[in-house]
Amino acid sequence: NAGVTQTPKFRVLKTGQSMTLLCAQDMNHEYMYWYRQDPGMGLRLIHYSVGEGTTAKGEVPDGYNVSRLKKQNFLLGLESAAPSQTSVYFCASRRGGGNYGYTFGSGTRLTVV
Amino acid sequence: ILNVEQSPQSLHVQEGDSTNFTCSFPSSNFYALHWYRWETAKSPEALFVMTLNGDEKKKGRISATLNTKEGYSYLYIKGSQPEDSATYLCAAKTNFGNEKLTFGTGTRLTIIP
């Protein structure tokens, strides 16, 4: 049981490049989330999904797109990376049907130069 | 955007001593309060999810209480051990059906052997 797996773990991008971060969970969780972690700030919600085929904006969605074509996968895309998107990105998932804690992935450290 | 505050920012505690720290959140439209433990180089791990005023939860030597009327939660660690060294995050959610869980910046706990 791998839990929540994020790929890649590290990446350096040049300004203007695009990339996709993959989050995969094997727990059959309904809900999935993308957060970013910046120094001195709490985890901030980028986008989330309440089920396969659905996505919604979080607190800081600008510059990012997401897709949830399969229940187990939640993709985060950066179409044109900017230095302000340098951050550590965390994916999380949780069961539906009640108040459950989140299971987090190990994070992706992204640097945009 | 919900304002979730944690205090203190950091704390050094002698092994064997007990300690506690605070999470404050707006009391209006409260729905749920989460606590996570985040060890260095690992992912945040869920400790507790609480929803009702007066809730108390316990996991081993760690316990938490919730006061939704005044908007705070306490996390207690009894008889601190070196393995308790971590950052403890709290996060709050308002309104039923709102998936936007807002995190505080954490309390970094260091246990001194």
Side-chain angles (χ1 to χ4, degrees), chain A residues 31 33 35 37 40-43 45 48 50 57-59 90 94 99-102 104-107, chain B residues 1 31-32 34 36 38 42-46 49 51 89 93 97-105:
Chain A
Y31 297 80
Y33 310 86
Y35 281 87
Q37 170 75 56
M41 305 186 79
L43 291 161
L45 182 63
Y48 64 96
V50 300
K57 293 181 181 180
E59 184 187 342
F90 285 93
R94 75 168 181 91
N99 274 300
Y100 297 102
Y102 292 13
F104 281 86
S106 55
Chain B
I1 296 173
Y31 182 62
H34 293 218
Y36 292 83
W38 193 356
K42 294 189 178 180
S43 315
E45 174 193 348
V49 178
T51 57
L89 301 178
K93 186 184 285 191
N98 178 355
E99 284 306 310
K100 296 180 183 177
L101 186 66
T102 301
F103 284 80
T105 53

Side-chain angles (χ1 to χ4, degrees), chain A residues 6-27:
Chain A
Q6 290 183 234
T7 52
K9 293 195 185 312
F10 303 94
R11 185 74 186 267
V12 178
L13 280 182
K14 292 184 179 178
T15 297
Q17 286 185 319
S18 63
M19 79 163 293
T20 301
L21 282 68
L22 171 63
C23 176
Q25 52 94 3
D26 61 1
M27 299 169 286

